[in-house]
Amino acid sequence: MPVLPPPAEKPQLSAPKKDTPTFSPSKVSVIFVLGGPGAGKGTQCANLVRDYGFTHLSAGDLLRAEQEREGSQFGSLIKEYIKEGTIVPMEITVQLLENAMTDDLKEKGDGQGRFLIDGFPRKMDQAIKFEEVVCPSKFTLFFDCPEEVMQERLLNRGKTSGRADDNAESIKKRFKTFVETSMPVVDYFEKEGRVVKVLATGSPEEVYTLVKERMAQRGFEEAKK
C-alpha cells in the first residue's frame, strides 16, 4: 500500500488497487481468529504464540494504540469513530495490520512469518480487502461457543476485569453484533473449505487439545523450542 500522506493532508482512506498482495502466502501464514465475546480467543492465541511461533495481532489493540500514538495521522479520526460507536474505516485497520506485519517480518529478517489476526475480519468487506491487498489467509480459526456459556464467562470476568462492557446488557449487544457481522464471514470462508471450527465449551486445556488436533490436520506443527 502507498506511503501514508503527510500530516497536513486529509488522511488517505483508500489506496490504488494492487495486482498482487503485499505478502506471499508461500512465505507468510495468516490465520484469522474469530469467535463471539467470551469464546476464549485470547487464551488460545497465547497458547499458539507460545507453542507454534505465531505473532499475535489484535486489530482492536492496534487501533487503540494508534489513536494514542503521538503524531498519528489517524488518531483523531479513530477516536471520533469509536466515540460515535461506529466501525473505523477498513482501510485504516487493514493498513495498521499490514504495517505491524511488515515491522515483524523486518525484525525476523528472513521474510517468513506466522500471524494470528485476532477479532478480524469483523465484516465481509474487511475480509475481501485484506486478502486482496495484504495476504490471503490460510484459514479462519473459529471458536464455536453458545451464547449462554459466553455470557456466564464474561459476567464472571466482569467481577474482576473492570471492563465496562462486561455486563449482561452489553454482552447481549456484543453477541448480536458478532452474529450479524462476523458470522457471514465465517459462512463465506466455510464454503471455501477455509474454516477450522473448534467447540469452545470445555476448559481452556480441553479446547487447546482440540486446537492442536485441528492445526495438525492443516499441516501446522509446533515450533522447535
Side-chain angles (χ1 to χ4, degrees):
M1 295 182 82
V3 176
L4 297 178
E9 296 182 15
K10 189 176 180 180
Q12 182 173 321
L13 298 184
S14 60
K17 185 174 174 60
K18 296 189 295 188
D19 292 332
T20 57
T22 300
F23 306 112
S24 166
S26 64
K27 289 188 173 182
V28 174
S29 296
V30 171
I31 297 176
F32 295 142
V33 183
L34 290 176
K41 298 185 296 297
T43 300
Q44 300 306 328
C45 282
N47 289 335
L48 289 166
V49 167
R50 181 192 65 220
D51 295 338
Y52 288 80
F54 279 94
T55 296
H56 179 206
L57 298 178
S58 162
D61 287 350
L62 289 171
L63 286 167
R64 284 186 284 274
E66 183 66 17
Q67 73 173 343
E68 300 301 333
R69 186 173 66 82
E70 190 175 344
S72 167
Q73 297 178 332
F74 296 129
S76 59
L77 193 65
I78 292 168
K79 280 182 183 175
E80 191 61 32
Y81 277 98
I82 291 175
K83 180 183 171 187
E84 297 298 323
T86 50
I87 292 177
V88 174
M90 66 175 173
E91 289 85 357
I92 294 178
T93 308
V94 169
Q95 181 70 67
L96 292 176
L97 286 166
E98 181 176 341
N99 291 349
M101 290 171 68
T102 299
D103 290 344
D104 185 81
L105 291 169
K106 277 182 183 173
E107 198 175 304
K108 287 190 170 78
D110 61 1
Q112 299 195 35
R114 291 177 166 185
F115 296 93
L116 295 171
I117 302 188
D118 179 5
F120 179 93
R122 291 190 180 277
K123 293 176 67 182
M124 200 62 242
D125 57 355
Q126 293 179 347
I128 292 168
K129 172 66 77 173
F130 183 93
E131 295 209 322
E132 278 181 356
V133 302
V134 183
C135 186
S137 66
K138 297 295 186 189
F139 56 84
T140 294
L141 184 58
F142 173 52
F143 291 99
D144 194 9
C145 194
E147 181 178 2
E148 58 271 18
V149 174
M150 291 190 284
Q151 181 167 338
E152 184 181 352
R153 287 175 180 173
L154 291 173
L155 289 173
N156 285 332
R157 187 177 78 179
K159 294 172 185 174
T160 56
S161 71
R163 281 182 56 162
D165 57 354
D166 280 348
N167 63 73
E169 187 179 347
S170 291
I171 291 164
K172 281 193 175 295
K173 286 180 182 176
R174 287 158 65 195
F175 187 80
K176 184 171 182 284
T177 298
F178 173 76
V179 170
E180 290 175 351
T181 61
S182 295
M183 281 309 297
V185 177
V186 175
D187 293 341
Y188 172 82
F189 284 129
E190 192 160 32
K191 287 172 185 170
E192 294 189 345
R194 287 198 289 154
V195 168
V196 171
K197 195 175 286 190
V198 174
L199 185 62
T201 53
S203 69
E205 295 75 21
E206 289 168 337
V207 174
Y208 189 47
T209 297
L210 294 175
V211 170
K212 288 193 288 187
E213 289 174 2
R214 302 291 190 277
M215 294 295 286
Q217 289 166 5
R218 292 283 175 149
F220 281 88
E221 297 179 357
E222 292 186 46
K224 293 176 182 177
K225 304 291 185 183

